[in-house]
Amino acid sequence: MDNPFKPSFGRTPPELLDRTDVLDEFEYGLSLRSGVLGLLTIITGARGVGKTVMLNEAQDLAREQGWAVISDTSTDGFLARIADAMSAINDELGAAPPARKITAFVAAGFGVTTRLAPERQVEFRSLGGQLLRRLDENKTGLLITLDEIQDANRGELLHLAAVIQHFVRDGLPIGFVCAGLPSAVSDLPNEGVATFLRRADKIDLHSVEIADVESSYIKLFASAGLTLPGNMASKAAIATTGYPFLVQLIGYFLWREAEKTGGMLGDDAVDRAIAAGLQRNIRLVLEPALANTRRRDMDYLRAMAVDDGVSGTGNVAERMGAKLTLAANYRARLIDAGPIEAAGHGEVRFSIPGPRQYLRSTPPRD
Ligand SMILES: Nc1ncnc2c1ncn2[C@@H]1O[C@H](COP(=O)(O)OP(=O)(O)OP(=O)(O)O)[C@@H](O)[C@H]1O
Ligand SMILES: [Mg+2]
C-alpha cells in the first residue's frame, strides 16, 4: 500500500480528524439553498491548520447536492475569473439538456483580465442572477469558494461581497465560503458591505485532539498490515501536538521507516520520523512565517519563547522592555498573522508548533 499521508498543503488527509460537525451549518444551508446561516462562512486559522482542506470539503458537499462550484484563490483578478467561470457555467447549462448534472468549474484558467471593467460589473450581476435563477429551477445553487483572503485586494473582495449580498437579498441560491489567516477577518472594515462579510458564520480552526491522532495512526498502519505498537503511536502523536500539518508529516515519515524495516518499527525509527517531521515543519511553515515578521514582533516571540508553556503578556512586555500598550500592538499583529493566539485572559501561546525550540536555538538576526 502506498504511503497514505498527505504532507502537502491543500491535500485532503487520509483521515480528517476532529472536524465532524464543523460544516454542519453549511450543509444544512445547502439543503435550504438560500437565506440561511452557513451558506456564508469564513474559515480562519493559523498556517497548516487545515483551512484549504475544509474548503475542499465544502466543495465536495456542494457537488454532492448537485451544486455548481467555482473555487479560486485571492490573487489579483479573482473577480474577473469568477465572472468568467459563471458565464462558462451559464453557457454550459444553456446548451445542456435540463436534466444534465451540473459540473464544477475551477475559476483559475478562465480569463486573463486582471480587473473587471465597469460594463462587466453590471454584466456580472445580471449574468449571475440569470445563472442562479436557472440553478434555482433545478433545485441546486452555486457555491463560490475563495482561499487566502488575507491577501485579497480589498476592493475586489468588497465588490464580490456586494454582488453576493445582492443575490442573497433576491433569495437566490448562492453560497460563499472563504478561508484565510485570522487577519482576513480582523482587517475587514466595520461598515458598508464589509459588515455583510463580518456577519458570516466564522469557523476558527485549531489543532486536533492528540488521542485522535494516536488512534488514527494505529488504524491507518493496521489497514496496511503494519503494526504500530501503542506506545510508539502515542509518542508520535504527542510529538505532533495535534497540529494537522505535523500529523501528516510525522505519519508520512513513520510510514517510510516502516517500509524500510518491513514493518518492524523500533524506538529509534520513531525518533527519526519525529525528527524528520519537525525539521520539515520548520522549513515549510516556521521559517516562511517568521521571514515576514517585523523586528519588534520577533522580539515579542523571543520573549515568549523563554516560557515553557503559555506566556503572561505582562511578563513578555517586561522581558522585551516595552510599554504594555506597545506590547499589546505587537501581540495583536502577531495574533492576526497567525503564529500566536490568546490563551485565556492576559496570556498568549504559540499556535503553530516549533517556534519555542527554534527561537531558543537561533540567534536574532541584525
Ligand atoms: N483535520 C485534519 N486531520 C488530519 N490532517 C489534516 C486535517 N486538516 C488538514 N490536515 C493536513 O494538514 C495539512 C495542512 O492543511 P491545509 O493545507 O488545509 O492547511 P491551511 O490551513 O490551508 O494552511 P495554509 O494557511 O498554509 O494554506 C495538509 O497536509 C492536510 O492534509
Ligand atoms: Mg491553505
Side-chain angles (χ1 to χ4, degrees), residues 221-222 225-229 263-265:
F221 275 76
L226 302 167
T227 322
L228 182 64
M264 304 299 280
L265 278 172

Side-chain angles (χ1 to χ4, degrees), residues 101-163:
K101 199 103 181 135
I102 297 140
T103 47
F105 279 79
V106 175
F110 283 94
V112 283
T113 23
T114 50
R115 248 191 270 134
L116 208 57
E119 68 276 11
R120 295 218 44 213
Q121 298 184 9
V122 179
E123 186 191 309
F124 190 10
R125 273 199 185 193
S126 62
L127 176 142
Q130 198 189 348
L131 168 64
L132 290 169
R133 276 186 291 276
R134 248 188 195 152
L135 292 168
D136 198 24
E137 282 165 17
N138 292 349
K139 297 273 176 277
T140 65
L142 172 70
L143 171 68
I144 298 175
T145 70
L146 194 60
D147 206 355
E148 304 280 358
I149 58 162
Q150 77 283 344
D151 294 336
N153 173 298
R154 294 287 114 168
E156 260 187 277
L157 184 62
L158 292 182
H159 192 113
L160 179 63
V163 174

Side-chain angles (χ1 to χ4, degrees), residues 147-333:
D147 206 355
E148 304 280 358
I149 58 162
Q150 77 283 344
D151 294 336
N153 173 298
R154 294 287 114 168
E156 260 187 277
L157 184 62
L158 292 182
H159 192 113
L160 179 63
V163 174
I164 292 173
Q165 184 177 28
H166 171 83
F167 296 147
V168 170
R169 284 193 182 142
D170 281 354
L172 292 168
I174 180 94
F176 180 56
V177 182
C178 54
L181 297 174
S183 60
V185 175
S186 55
D187 279 359
L188 286 175
N190 215 342
E191 60 193 20
V193 68
T195 319
F196 170 72
L197 281 180
R198 277 187 167 269
R199 288 198 190 121
D201 252 19
K202 286 181 203 65
I203 299 175
D204 195 27
L205 295 178
H206 293 278
S207 290
V208 302
E209 293 291 334
I210 290 174
D212 293 348
V213 177
E214 182 179 337
S215 49
S216 168
Y217 278 170
I218 292 173
K219 195 166 97 189
L220 287 166
F221 275 76
S223 69
L226 302 167
T227 322
L228 182 64
N231 61 331
M232 294 186 188
S234 159
K235 190 175 186 182
I238 289 169
T240 69
T241 67
Y243 175 61
F245 187 47
L246 260 186
V247 173
Q248 299 308 311
L249 276 172
I250 292 179
Y252 174 86
F253 285 112
L254 263 183
W255 195 276
R256 291 203 54 184
E257 291 291 340
E259 282 173 344
K260 278 186 223 158
T261 55
M264 304 299 280
L265 278 172
D267 261 327
D268 49 341
V270 177
D271 291 341
R272 275 197 302 275
I274 291 174
L278 293 175
Q279 193 54 40
R280 287 296 168 97
N281 187 53
I282 289 176
R283 246 196 19 232
L284 297 174
V285 179
L286 206 54
E287 289 181 341
L290 295 182
N292 298 324
T293 305
R294 299 185 202 197
R295 198 177 54 85
R296 279 311 259 170
D297 295 357
M298 276 302 277
D299 292 342
Y300 195 98
L301 295 176
R302 286 187 186 282
M304 278 178 67
V306 171
D307 295 308
D308 288 324
V310 297
S311 302
T313 53
N315 293 340
V316 173
E318 194 181 312
R319 274 179 211 145
M320 66 187 293
K323 286 207 184 87
L324 276 176
T325 46
L326 268 181
N329 287 343
Y330 307 141
R331 181 181 72 233
R333 210 152 58 196

Side-chain angles (χ1 to χ4, degrees), residues 62-83:
R63 290 192 187 107
E64 277 165 24
Q65 308 223 15
W67 282 46
V69 174
I70 296 174
S71 64
D72 207 345
T73 190
S74 305
T75 49
D76 279 353
F78 62 84
L79 196 58
R81 292 193 300 273
I82 290 172

Side-chain angles (χ1 to χ4, degrees), residues 46 289-290 293 301 334-341 349-352 355:
L290 295 182
T293 305
L301 295 176
L334 285 164
I335 289 177
D336 276 356
I340 70 170
E341 59 193 16
R349 65 170 160 244
F350 293 111
S351 48
I352 51 178

Side-chain angles (χ1 to χ4, degrees), residues 9-10 47-48 50-53 147-148:
F9 290 91
R47 289 262 169 236
K51 300 179 294 296
T52 303
V53 163
D147 206 355
E148 304 280 358

